Amino acid sequence: MSQKITLDHGSGGKLTLELIEEVFKSESGLDSAILGDIAFTTDSHSIKPLFFAGGDIGKLSVAGTVNDLLCVGAKPLYLSTAFIIEAGFEIDKLNRIVKSIKEEAEDAGVKIVCGDTKVVENGKCDGVYINTSGIGKIIRPIKGDNINDGDAVIVSGSIGEHGFAILNQRENLNLNTELRSDVSNLTDLILPLIESDVEIKFMRDPTRGGLAMCLNELCYKRDFGFEIEESLIPVMEDVRVISEILGIEPYYSANEGKMVIVVSKKDQDRALDILKKNPKGSNAKIIGKVSKKTAGNVILKTKFGSTRLLKMPVADKMPRIC
Amino acid sequence: MSQKITLDHGSGGKLTLELIEEVFKSESGLDSAILGDIAFTTDSHSIKPLFFAGGDIGKLSVAGTVNDLLCVGAKPLYLSTAFIIEAGFEIDKLNRIVKSIKEEAEDAGVKIVCGDTKVVENGKCDGVYINTSGIGKIIRPIKGDNINDGDAVIVSGSIGEHGFAILNQRENLNLNTELRSDVSNLTDLILPLIESDVEIKFMRDPTRGGLAMCLNELCYKRDFGFEIEESLIPVMEDVRVISEILGIEPYYSANEGKMVIVVSKKDQDRALDILKKNPKGSNAKIIGKVSKKTAGNVILKTKFGSTRLLKMPVADKMPRIC
Amino acid sequence: MDRIKLNIYNDPEIVKKLSNFIKKEAEKLKKTIKIMHICGTHENSIVRFGLRDLLPGNITVIAGPGCPVCVTSSRDIDAIIELALKENIKLLTFGDMLKVPGSRLSFSKAISMGADIQMIYSIFDGIEIAKNSDKPCIFFACGFETTAAPTAAALKDLEIPKNFYIYSVHKYTPNGVYALLKSGKISMDALILPGHASTISGLKTYERFTDEFGLPSVAAGFEAADILLAIALIVKQINNKEAKVENAYTRVIEYEGNKRAQQAIDEVFYLTSSIWRGLGEIENSGYELKDKYRQFDAKKQFNITYTNDYIEHQKGCKCNEIILGNLTPKDCPLFTKRCTPHDPIGPCMVSDEGTCKNWYDGGLI
Amino acid sequence: MDRIKLNIYNDPEIVKKLSNFIKKEAEKLKKTIKIMHICGTHENSIVRFGLRDLLPGNITVIAGPGCPVCVTSSRDIDAIIELALKENIKLLTFGDMLKVPGSRLSFSKAISMGADIQMIYSIFDGIEIAKNSDKPCIFFACGFETTAAPTAAALKDLEIPKNFYIYSVHKYTPNGVYALLKSGKISMDALILPGHASTISGLKTYERFTDEFGLPSVAAGFEAADILLAIALIVKQINNKEAKVENAYTRVIEYEGNKRAQQAIDEVFYLTSSIWRGLGEIENSGYELKDKYRQFDAKKQFNITYTNDYIEHQKGCKCNEIILGNLTPKDCPLFTKRCTPHDPIGPCMVSDEGTCKNWYDGGLI
Amino acid sequence: MCLGIAMKVVEIYDGGLNGVVEAGGVKRHCFFHMIDDLKVGDYVIVHAGCAIEKIEEEEAQENLKLIEQCLLGEEAGGQDKT
Amino acid sequence: MCLGIAMKVVEIYDGGLNGVVEAGGVKRHCFFHMIDDLKVGDYVIVHAGCAIEKIEEEEAQENLKLIEQCLLGEEAGGQDKT
Ligand code: SF4
Ligand code: SF4
Ligand SMILES: [Mg+2]
Ligand SMILES: [Mg+2]
Ligand SMILES: [Mg+2]
Ligand SMILES: [Mg+2]
Ligand SMILES: [Mg+2]
Ligand SMILES: [Mg+2]
Ligand SMILES: [Mg+2]
Ligand SMILES: [Mg+2]
Ligand SMILES: [Mg+2]
Ligand SMILES: [Mg+2]
């Protein structure tokens, strides 16, 4: 590991994982801690631009934490919000963000019960950073154990929308598109699944680093891997086109309103049925399966019958041209 | 309110209070939320310098949240830590901070159960910002209600150490002193009090804005105020001297290891006894009392028999010379 | 503090005795008297110790133009902020100066706009900063003779790095107050003379106050007993129909002042006319660097632009009347409403020495 | 896509049929053949579609010097980074360039050190940025003829703001590869010609490859079927003992190339010798701005310092041999160990077009 | 080298020098400096915000024919499970 | 104006121009350019990092005497509860 922190350490990719292992010595690998009958999680959010097509940092910071609680089989209940604000930030914008937090919290069925506000010197923050921590009530703990060969991998909807929508705005790529971030809490979508008797093995929201990171993280140093059928992965046409324009595969583009769910093979269709009852799950797909043969790796099977490794991203992908 | 956020909005003083009221519309006024039998709190920490006499941002971020849980009568149990790190930050320093977090957590009897790491562009953070959120088990809820005329105000030790230690280093005041920040978790000091049958009305750690802010906040828009005997407030000699050199009263200087406790008059001596059993409480003092007459105000009675208002600070106090 | 008992001056017994003495003595007063001090730190002590509580009803103590930050003209603040925003320089100044509003900006606001401005505790720290900087460092030097003296001593006796400059807004109290007395802008029954400024100037220069205006003038220190002692002596003088300069702070002030400091000031500065915020130009009241020190004079080494439309006081602000002791903050409609220490309208709301700020922080309102 | 059926080129049925055809046809090969493509985007497609899986064991497809980022010399990277750190300029470049290590720094690392460097998607976006900036904006223009053409067209046809400059490291593929063939540094049995670079240059210029070196040379597009078609045609040529230039991407490439683009390039650039990273100087392979456009030429308008101690490849890095197709990343001891996309040692680990990066991301290792 | 993708011309202005291209609902400004006789509805290859070539219908047919020729050879030669 | 506090001289160097002052365990570098004949153990008033005056023992006595004179007057005049 290098001597200094770099942006790549925060990309959510391999470097982040290594940093967490080596410095923080954390190994849980779960999106939320399971503490008896409660789940607890935290995330700090920094995003540029603060207001983007489909949402803003406020909505994002609520959705992210709510979804992380759902991941471990909890019903999200309470949220804290802690703001770090740059001196000079417009109070109007702050009001918009707070409004958006409240709306998303209401939609997600969570209460914001405590908060904090710090102001730092102008330039020492990118507008505003928001930490949300969350508490949920465990309906049934989902810990990622008892994974079997052949378990089904489901993605709850089309992928890559958030990452590309943000990239287009942040880097001024001037792509004129209806594409919006998918940022959304998934309470309504996932809670019914948790409350059902579908045998859920593992859940994770494929945020930073996209589907590629999410799948790789799930099997990182584990005794199983994944075999994914590329042609089954739901990708919207505009995402596919932007992916080609920028030379970045959609698997590496972040999502903020999707869930990757591993369920026992016997329950895969029932799981899909439950998801499809909610509009947010209308594009849910079984995209592949757990494979003990490919332990630690994610294998992508192309529609041509060939295979390749879908590697863990190391850093954020940048648009390329040549 | 002005149109833009200023540093003063984050000073922990009057402007912070107004921002919270007007933008966040939060009114609890408690350091932690009380949610049935659990307490929940959050704080983001930014401090310059990151490493200071007596501690560092890691220790600070654990102590702050632990103490906030104690404030509402909870036994601190679990902590989350969320880092925002500036690209270019030395990993060695990060390791020191993480070590310090672990040590303080152990000392406070809490487990760090989840975390997050974000990296932002160089310059978009002041080294590192740390959010800690915490969960505690309510032993008995302390909500600041049922406050009576004559209730005793106790401060658990001498005041002003943290603020002056930091100021000296941050502004290069070149004061050569043994003074160290008092940053410390108060589990061992306060938990016995909570577990006793002393009638505790209210607790708050006098952090940003110091004792002056803490007392003013406790009675802000309430039907009671405080009468404080200036000569009873414990102030170490070096703090008193620095206060004179810089022209800043110690009441406005932050503490990170002290507690202001309001107890029923009948229990004041027993409370003091319990505190004094712990070395951290050896300088604990009854410094005044609740007074309905001075509703909303903190009256300081000087040793000369005169009185004055101890006002809520508006912004951070800067050293003055002329 | 071994041989020199300094604690005595805030001994509650002594303070109460002095208070009682004043009350007793004041019974003999023929009318309510107005005593003016001309030192922000006196005001600060008075508020902090609650001394007005200890005085009888027929003695009013008011604050005169005694805060160097409050009397620094917007013209100078505007000009130096403009320079700091335009040129690649580092500006150094005291903590109390940071929030003082100029016509448009304060130093604090200029920092948010990218200006490199740093607080220092002492000119000597400023010189060290310059030694370690590759930028020109300009010290915006405010303060009365107390602070002008260290500036002078530093320039005279130290090796000054080539990139260190002074922008002097230092002012000389006795001449300023003398001019105000002469103009009739201020009036009072007696004066408390400043404790620390007088260590430099000495008290002899204040004899013209007693001689020309018949004002009892007593120099005081900053402890509760110091100030009450001065008031006691004033009341005695008034009762005795005297008007003389007295020293209630003999442990520090010498009647002739600090000769070495005076020499340093003479060597480095000359007195010339100077703008006092809200009070206009006062002759022989401002310290400017002598030509010999021109290489360190920011006013000469940088291209500084002055405009004529600088604003000393925003509309509604009563600062100038408050500085003169003619009004109190309670008389200002903006006080605590639009004008707060967070967003000060006038300079008196900024420094802890400013009367409005002092009243805001600890006044019984 | 109505009349023009573009989906066909990634139709699994067609791809499988082409694969089968190649396998069948390859049975007739006398020996294992090595086909080199010279286009990073081809490598990317091959990895992404898993095409090596679909080829018989006696056909090896290797990557030649086809990544413009990989062949940009440290000498130029060092010089422009130095300028960006020293002068108050804004540097513009493509996303793939950001992490390429120079001798000491990459553009990304220079950003952390305060350099103002911005990613752009197109030169036209860069021109807009310059219009809204008060700094000189220098576009570090890398890329082969495909990218040189828009640069030329922009300079020729658009109103260019006075603060917009070009630092050209554009290179001309056919001459570069020709020189490498001639020098014997690279060898293969056939070539897949680049799809998009050839739209500009046309295919005629590649006839010297078939004539002088007897290499079957087939231009291909970027879909799975495109590349397999080219390989099929190559295998057929070899089996027929032919060596001719063929166009397997007729829907895009014209044999004569894009005349308007060629004219724009001729108007704006001249070809001269140029350093290809790790490969040394190659004559007639670099595009420099003609004198007519000197006002936009950063190399002429800025004081750019070149040093002789620039480092093209750190010790141990096999990039140059990999670019030449002589080695694969697996042959480099640093691959995935000390050298990763996060902290790349050689340029091939940077761009998604770089062979090492491509293998790292999706190669079956 | 040279990432390029096929996009449809949906708008042309500035006498043919500038315009808008589209694919899958994504539109972008594009420069047409290097393409003659462009019409709305044409397909172009876009590289770095610039059309580098037009895709002509007859040439596209030709491309397909090339594949068919191969596959005919294959189909003739021996078809397996596909 | 002019915040100043009494501190004790604990170190003198540079021929009396520089040194260290102390109060309540807090030490700071101080400039003595304006004070003659300073000795370790002396008390000075420090303003902005600079000693502006020395506190002499006899003058301090004088100061106390001034107070006593007042209070004697008072004690003679009529003492209340204190
Ligand atoms: S309160 Fe503010 S506006 Fe009013 S006189 Fe004081 S400084 Fe001026
Ligand atoms: S893996 Fe890295 S060091 Fe090895 S050849 Fe590739 S770029 Fe060079
Ligand atoms: Mg999370
Ligand atoms: Mg998650
Ligand atoms: Mg807080
Ligand atoms: Mg808190
Ligand atoms: Mg608290
Ligand atoms: Mg996280
Ligand atoms: Mg054409
Ligand atoms: Mg054509
Ligand atoms: Mg003397
Ligand atoms: Mg003396």
Side-chain angles (χ1 to χ4, degrees), chain B residues 39 44 52 66 69-70 72 89 98 121 135 146 170 178 190 198 202 219-220 231 238 249 253 255 277 287 295 297:
Chain B
S44 288
F52 48 82
V66 164
L69 291 171
L70 291 165
V72 297
F89 191 70
V98 170
E121 278 171 40
I135 294 179
N146 194 27
R170 190 183 68 215
E178 296 287 300
I190 299 299
V198 163
F202 217 173
C219 67
Y220 184 66
S231 57
D238 46 7
E249 287 188 280
S253 175
N255 312 276
K277 278 195 191 114
I287 60 169
N297 287 315

Side-chain angles (χ1 to χ4, degrees), chain D residues 188-294:
Chain D
M188 70 298 292
D189 298 299
L191 277 168
I192 298 174
L193 300 178
H196 291 144
S198 299
T199 62
I200 306 297
S201 66
L203 297 176
K204 202 167 172 48
T205 183
Y206 289 104
E207 285 173 3
R208 49 188 159 154
F209 288 38
T210 55
D211 299 352
E212 291 183 37
F213 308 107
L215 290 170
S217 303
V218 182
F222 299 92
E223 299 297 345
D226 286 323
I227 294 170
L228 291 185
L229 174 60
I231 292 170
L233 295 176
I234 283 171
V235 178
K236 276 170 85 174
Q237 280 195 43
I238 291 175
N239 281 339
N240 295 340
K241 300 198 166 57
E242 285 176 315
K244 58 188 183 189
V245 171
E246 276 185 288
N247 186 356
Y249 196 30
T250 58
R251 68 185 186 281
V252 172
I253 299 173
E254 296 191 24
Y255 203 79
E256 303 295 323
N258 183 327
K259 287 280 162 60
R260 261 180 82 169
Q262 290 164 9
Q263 279 159 18
I265 288 175
D266 281 352
E267 157 90 20
V268 171
F269 291 116
Y270 66 100
L271 278 172
T272 183
S273 103
S274 159
I275 304 174
W276 291 50
R277 186 166 187 159
L279 305 176
E281 215 161 321
I282 300 180
E283 62 180 17
N284 287 320
S285 70
Y287 288 114
E288 290 291 346
L289 287 174
K290 287 188 169 166
D291 215 49
K292 197 171 154 187
Y293 289 90
R294 61 175 299 126

Side-chain angles (χ1 to χ4, degrees), chain A residues 30-32 41 43 64 67-69 71 203-207 256 259:
Chain A
L30 295 179
D31 283 42
S32 298
T41 191
D43 259 311
N67 295 345
D68 278 356
L69 291 170
C71 285
M203 280 198 285
R204 170 156 297 170
D205 50 339
T207 54
E256 291 292 349
M259 196 63 88

Side-chain angles (χ1 to χ4, degrees), chain A residues 291-309:
Chain A
S291 159
K292 294 273 177 179
K293 276 205 310 281
T294 63
N297 287 315
V298 181
I299 301 292
L300 214 55
K301 298 173 81 170
T302 73
K303 60 181 175 180
F304 310 120
S306 59
T307 61
R308 63 167 171 129
L309 271 184

